[in-house]
Amino acid sequence: MSKALYIAEKPSVARQFADVLGVKGNAGNGYLESDTAVVTWCVGHLITMSYPEVYDPALKKWSFDTIPFIPEEYKYEIIDASSKQFQIVSKLLNREDVGRIYVCTDSGREGEYIYRLVEQMAGVDKSKKDRRRVWIDSQTEEEIMRGIREAKELSAYDNLSDAAYLRAQEDYCLLYTSDAA
């Protein structure tokens, strides 16, 4: 039997989804599970852009000689303090019995970015999963149920995802192309 996976941005929001969906249990394992659903969270950001020294060790010490630094391809890495939760979410995303993923991160560019980075780093085979976006304005029971019922295919939010990646790259370039570093 195929299960639905619900991924929230924060544990408190995941708990609200679990309550509405009737998913009980101890969240000590980084997720809650029932016969039909799994609910987990990202604890905010799990992934970050790599520092310049990951590209070239000579860039570890800031100097006028090394700016501007604009990577040809941006690198990402798992945040050390969040690595345990990332591993949990990654395994859940790639479970064979998970057929549908509901992205329940905050509605907006940043929430979209948080999920897309996790999906990217987890190596999710998008052709094997039905991916849906839950877009809600509050965490009331009615709003959560409406958001799940009306969830659109994740691809409908690809432009928002692109905007999120570009904003992050812009922020990165601003930091490493000026004397603000």
Side-chain angles (χ1 to χ4, degrees):
M1 178 179 193
S2 182
K3 292 188 179 195
L5 173 62
Y6 298 82
I7 301 179
E9 192 167 323
K10 303 170 203 73
S12 60
V13 176
R15 175 56 77 185
Q16 290 174 301
F17 270 82
D19 288 346
V20 168
L21 295 166
V23 179
K24 307 287 183 208
N26 182 343
N29 294 329
Y31 65 97
L32 298 156
E33 186 167 6
S34 72
D35 291 342
T36 59
V38 181
V39 180
T40 192
W41 52 89
C42 292
V43 293
H45 289 270
L46 298 175
I47 312 296
T48 189
M49 295 177 105
S50 298
Y51 287 108
E53 61 265 22
V54 171
Y55 297 86
D56 181 349
L59 297 174
K60 184 170 178 111
K61 184 169 172 30
W62 183 91
S63 91
F64 281 110
D65 297 332
T66 61
I67 61 171
F69 173 66
I70 303 171
E72 287 184 30
E73 183 178 325
Y74 291 86
K75 295 180 181 182
Y76 300 89
E77 55 195 67
I78 300 161
I79 297 170
D80 285 340
S82 305
S83 64
K84 181 180 178 188
Q85 188 62 22
F86 172 78
Q87 294 304 324
I88 291 166
V89 173
S90 178
K91 285 179 185 172
L92 294 171
L93 283 166
N94 289 296
R95 271 178 40 175
E96 289 291 324
D97 65 336
V98 170
R100 177 173 282 177
I101 299 167
Y102 285 98
V103 179
C104 308
T105 52
D106 292 354
S107 299
R109 184 177 58 213
E110 195 66 16
E112 196 67 24
Y113 185 60
I114 286 170
Y115 173 74
R116 298 292 182 117
L117 284 174
V118 170
E119 182 180 82
Q120 173 186 324
M121 293 294 284
V124 175
D125 184 346
K126 299 171 192 174
S127 69
K128 292 184 177 182
K129 307 288 181 181
D130 177 21
R131 300 154 42 241
R132 302 285 172 150
R133 184 61 157 103
V134 175
W135 196 271
I136 57 177
D137 296 322
S138 68
Q139 282 90 36
T140 64
E141 181 175 348
E142 297 79 21
E143 186 68 358
I144 288 171
M145 291 307 294
R146 184 204 57 77
I148 293 169
R149 197 173 45 254
E150 297 176 7
K152 294 181 183 176
E153 289 188 23
L154 188 61
S155 62
Y157 296 89
D158 284 351
N159 288 342
L160 181 63
S161 173
D162 291 345
Y165 274 88
L166 288 172
R167 174 61 189 264
Q169 291 167 2
E170 175 187 33
D171 290 347
Y172 189 92
C173 286
L174 285 172
L175 183 61
Y176 296 112
T177 61
S178 69
D179 61 2

